[in-house]
């Protein structure tokens, strides 16, 4: 739950960089507030290992900085500090992405070969995918509030969502390929696993984590183009 909430919160803040000011103060305030709340809840639910690594401590520290910048950004939207708000938003996004990257490196620190790099790609694409999906949904409904809003804003978020979905597909395909190629006798066969009753969890991830977002991207793009 910690990773999901943090990735979603950072992803929403990332989407705010894509959207122009024409969306209005309330749009930015709503989404920034949502991101602040998600990251705060995720932080409260963070794992607390007995012997945290330096990577873990750095990840949590970066997350705190991202949250602090995002709180100030949210609190000043439409009120004050207009000149530095872009810097605050970029700082929140930057520290958030650094935190996510460090989380991935910490989790995969004992993994062999290219697995740490693959984990980083998985985490970053998760941020973009979750943020893109949530941002596209909110912005799509925001056209009811601001009918004159240029459709190019929605198109840009859909492009982000499509790109992140493609990266997720590539990451999962690479992980599957590594699992198949690195199989050794005495170790459970991956091919047998995915076609067994336990493989339902793998197919759930494919259906809801890859196929679902891909269909959503196509439908949204057809609507927005």
């Amino acid at each position: 739950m910690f990773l999901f909430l943090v990735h979603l919160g950072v992803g929403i803040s990332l989407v705010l960089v894509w959207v122009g000011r024409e969306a209005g103060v309330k749009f930015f305030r709503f989404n920034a507030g949502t991101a602040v709340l998600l990251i705060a809840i995720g932080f409260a639910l963070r794992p607390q290992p007995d012997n945290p690594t330096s990577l873990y401590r750095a990840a949590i520290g970066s997350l705190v900085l991202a949250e602090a910048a995002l709180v100030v950004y949210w609190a000043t939207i439409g009120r004050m500090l207009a000149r530095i708000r872009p810097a605050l938003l970029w700082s929140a996004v930057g520290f958030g992405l650094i935190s996510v990257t460090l989380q991935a490196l910490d989790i995969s620190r004992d993994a062999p070969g290219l697995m740490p790099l693959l984990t980083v790609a998985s985490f970053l694409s998760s941020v973009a995918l979750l943020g893109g999906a949530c941002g596209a949904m909110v912005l799509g409904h925001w056209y009811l509030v601001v009918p004159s809003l240029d459709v190019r804003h929605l198109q840009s978020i859909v492009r982000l969502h499509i790109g992140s979905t493609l990266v997720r597909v590539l990451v999962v395909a690479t992980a599957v390929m590594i699992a198949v190629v690195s199989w050794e006798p005495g170790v459970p066969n991956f091919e047998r696993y995915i076609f067994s009753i336990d493989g339902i969890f793998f197919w759930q991830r494919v259906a809801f984590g890859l196929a679902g977002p891909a269909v959503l991207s196509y439908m949204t793009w057809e609507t927005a183009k």
Side-chain angles (χ1 to χ4, degrees), residues 11 16 29 38 40 43 55 59 76-77 106 115 122 192 220-221:
L16 293 179
R29 189 176 293 161
L38 289 170
F43 184 82
L55 285 172
T76 58
I77 294 175
D106 180 51
M115 289 306 295
S122 176
R192 181 178 299 176
T220 309
W221 179 255

Side-chain angles (χ1 to χ4, degrees), residues 7 14 33 61 68 85 90 100 138 162 167 169 192 197 224:
H7 289 190
L14 176 64
R85 274 204 305 272
W90 278 106
V100 169
V138 174
I162 292 173
V167 173
V169 171
R192 181 178 299 176
I197 187 64

Side-chain angles (χ1 to χ4, degrees), residues 70-209:
L70 202 54
V71 167
V72 177
Y73 173 79
W74 167 78
T76 58
I77 294 175
R79 297 187 178 96
M80 61 185 75
L81 304 179
R83 291 185 177 181
I84 69 170
R85 274 204 305 272
L88 289 170
L89 180 57
W90 278 106
S91 296
V93 172
F95 283 121
L97 293 178
I98 290 173
S99 177
V100 169
T101 301
L102 293 173
Q103 292 166 18
L105 293 174
D106 180 51
I107 290 175
S108 61
R109 63 185 181 277
D110 297 324
L114 296 176
M115 289 306 295
L117 181 61
L118 192 63
T119 305
V120 170
S122 176
F123 275 39
L124 292 178
S125 61
S126 171
V127 168
L129 181 62
L130 290 171
C134 186
M137 179 183 67
V138 174
L139 185 61
H141 286 81
W142 212 260
Y143 283 87
L144 299 175
V145 180
V146 188
S148 60
L149 186 62
D150 196 327
V151 73
R152 64 184 173 84
H153 298 299
L154 181 59
Q155 291 173 341
S156 65
I157 294 182
V158 175
R159 291 191 188 98
L160 171 66
H161 190 257
I162 292 173
S164 60
T165 301
L166 292 175
V167 173
R168 292 292 292 175
V169 171
L170 180 61
V171 168
V172 172
T174 303
V176 170
M177 182 180 66
I178 291 176
V180 172
V181 172
S182 61
W183 177 79
E184 297 178 357
V187 179
N189 187 294
F190 181 78
E191 183 178 353
R192 181 178 299 176
Y193 160 72
I194 63 175
F195 291 110
S196 68
I197 187 64
D198 294 330
I200 189 173
F201 298 105
F202 171 80
W203 294 113
Q204 281 180 344
R205 178 173 183 178
V206 171
F208 297 108

Side-chain angles (χ1 to χ4, degrees), residues 1-60:
M1 185 61 72
F2 163 72
L3 292 177
F4 170 75
L5 292 173
V6 169
H7 289 190
L8 179 56
V10 174
I12 292 174
S13 63
L14 176 64
V15 164
L16 293 179
V17 176
W18 256 258
V19 182
R21 295 181 179 179
E22 296 88 347
V25 170
K26 292 183 179 180
F27 174 82
F28 286 91
R29 189 176 293 161
F30 172 79
N31 283 281
T34 301
V36 166
L37 183 61
L38 289 170
I39 293 175
I41 296 174
F43 184 82
L45 298 176
R46 70 190 184 281
Q48 299 186 16
D50 295 331
N51 297 304
T53 64
S54 57
L55 285 172
Y56 177 82
R57 289 194 293 268
I60 295 300

